[in-house]
Amino acid sequence: MREFFDSINPLYVRAGAFILAAIILYVSAKRILNRFYATLQEQNKWYFTKKIVMNTIYLVIFLIFVFTFSDKFQGLYTTLGLAGAGITFALREVIVSFAGWFAILFGDFFKVGDRVLLGGIKGDVIDLGILRTTLMEIGDWVDGDQYNGRIVRVANSFIFTSPVYNYSASFQFVWDEIHIPIRFGSDIRLARSIIKKISDEVLGDVSVSAKDAWFEMRKHFRLEDATLENQIFLTFDDNWVTLSLRYVVDIKKRRVTKDVLFTRLLEELEQHHGEIELASQTIEMVDYNKNL
């Protein structure tokens, strides 16, 4: 039996030990993560924790591989040392993207689920890879902030060269406006009161949630007090009077909320036909030849 073990190539022993260690590390990490899945998911930390743990395990497995077979790579180390500058230049984009991944994870740029604008691409972050961030795109040929079905992968290196717009980081609301043109001679006070009533009914709960979110954000940033209640502004020109409703809305419900507001406003204004008339642009055609 001893002769049998002595006849085994030591390289095979090391390979077997490496494979066994890798399997044990991988399976153990998976089981530990699954055990804490419910707690992490409830705290919205599942995705981040899973990425960190699994990538750390992959790094440890790689280091074990290098140390286990280090004596077999002596020639390779020399070659890599001589070609280091060339390799660094050739892989500069990969290296910067890898650094960008660390910056994203620990720099509070954005997280999975945030709505962002990266390099001209707007969408929801659905995956944070080591080299690329994956977005479910919104807009483009689709009007409004809704998915168009296209998945876009953006290199993580962009965070060092381009602005990062996050629509839902610490404050998941944005200010939006709708404009209602009213004819001269209409009852402007009545129109204003109708807009106020409808906006309070549709957006009442949103304003309360926005105030709580704004209060929490002020703990992290130096911000002045902002008006989070619905506001109505009046302007006019040679054609009509414009009543503008400014309000706070959840970034992911912007288009739906605007649809509800317009629908309710049209229904209410139609009940006051004669007192309130919506304005529209008209063009008058004059036949000068007829007057000659």
Side-chain angles (χ1 to χ4, degrees):
M1 181 65 68
R2 184 176 181 180
E3 294 179 355
F4 171 76
F5 284 109
D6 292 339
S7 63
I8 297 177
N9 192 326
L11 181 62
Y12 295 154
V13 176
R14 283 188 284 175
F18 164 73
I19 294 173
L20 181 61
I23 292 174
I24 292 174
L25 284 172
Y26 182 83
V27 173
S28 299
K30 282 288 187 180
R31 288 188 175 182
I32 293 173
L33 285 172
N34 290 334
R35 178 172 297 181
F36 292 98
Y37 172 78
T39 303
L40 294 172
Q41 184 71 11
E42 184 178 351
Q43 299 175 359
N44 293 323
K45 296 180 180 179
W46 165 251
Y47 185 87
F48 177 80
T49 305
K50 178 184 176 183
K51 279 285 185 181
I52 292 296
V53 171
M54 294 312 300
N55 284 317
T56 302
I57 291 298
Y58 296 146
L59 177 61
V60 170
I61 291 175
F62 174 74
L63 293 176
I64 292 174
F65 175 81
V66 171
F67 286 123
T68 301
F69 302 100
S70 58
D71 59 323
K72 302 296 181 182
F73 299 132
Q74 292 179 357
L76 178 62
Y77 294 153
T78 303
T79 303
L80 291 177
L82 295 174
I87 292 174
T88 302
F89 179 79
L91 299 179
R92 64 189 184 281
E93 187 67 27
V94 175
I95 295 171
V96 175
S97 292
F98 184 70
W101 176 68
F102 270 101
I104 292 169
L105 288 180
F106 300 104
D108 199 26
F109 284 88
F110 53 82
K111 61 183 181 299
V112 173
D114 284 353
R115 179 156 293 182
V116 296
L117 176 63
L118 309 176
I121 306 298
K122 186 177 180 181
D124 292 344
V125 179
I126 60 176
D127 185 60
L128 289 177
I130 294 178
L131 300 179
R132 295 184 182 275
T133 295
T134 304
L135 304 179
M136 174 61 77
E137 189 182 24
I138 62 176
D140 201 356
W141 66 84
V142 176
D143 293 332
D145 298 331
Q146 293 182 308
Y147 294 145
N148 60 28
R150 189 163 60 182
I151 293 177
V152 183
R153 291 178 174 85
V154 184
N156 292 336
S157 58
F158 70 87
I159 67 167
F160 299 117
T161 58
S162 303
V164 177
Y165 299 91
N166 193 328
Y167 295 87
S168 54
S170 301
F171 188 69
Q172 62 179 7
F173 301 89
V174 293
W175 278 267
D176 201 5
E177 292 185 353
I178 62 173
H179 307 285
I180 301 96
I182 305 294
R183 278 187 173 184
F184 285 106
S186 298
D187 191 334
I188 302 301
R189 289 185 178 179
L190 177 59
R192 193 165 194 154
S193 66
I194 290 173
I195 296 172
K196 176 64 174 173
K197 182 187 72 171
I198 297 299
S199 63
D200 289 343
E201 291 176 359
V202 175
L203 302 165
D205 294 337
V206 177
S207 297
V208 174
S209 300
K211 289 179 182 178
D212 294 338
W214 187 263
F215 178 78
E216 289 297 322
M217 191 167 67
R218 291 188 65 183
K219 296 179 180 179
H220 306 284
F221 304 99
R222 189 176 183 274
L223 297 169
E224 302 296 333
D225 287 332
T227 302
L228 300 172
E229 293 83 6
N230 307 326
Q231 295 177 289
I232 301 173
F233 301 96
L234 185 148
T235 59
F236 65 88
D237 54 23
D238 296 337
N239 299 308
W240 51 65
V241 176
T242 301
L243 291 173
S244 301
L245 171 63
R246 174 179 167 85
Y247 57 93
V248 175
V249 62
D250 189 311
I251 182 60
K252 296 186 178 180
K253 298 179 180 179
R254 181 166 165 255
R255 191 178 191 185
V256 173
T257 302
K258 184 173 288 188
D259 173 74
V260 173
L261 283 171
F262 273 125
T263 301
R264 292 287 306 279
L265 285 170
L266 284 175
E267 291 174 351
E268 188 71 24
L269 292 175
E270 285 179 356
Q271 297 179 13
H272 297 274
H273 187 71
E275 297 177 274
I276 304 172
E277 296 287 341
L278 292 176
S280 61
Q281 187 173 8
T282 59
I283 299 176
E284 183 180 358
M285 304 294 293
V286 179
D287 187 356
Y288 288 99
N289 294 325
K290 185 177 180 180
N291 297 326
L292 293 178

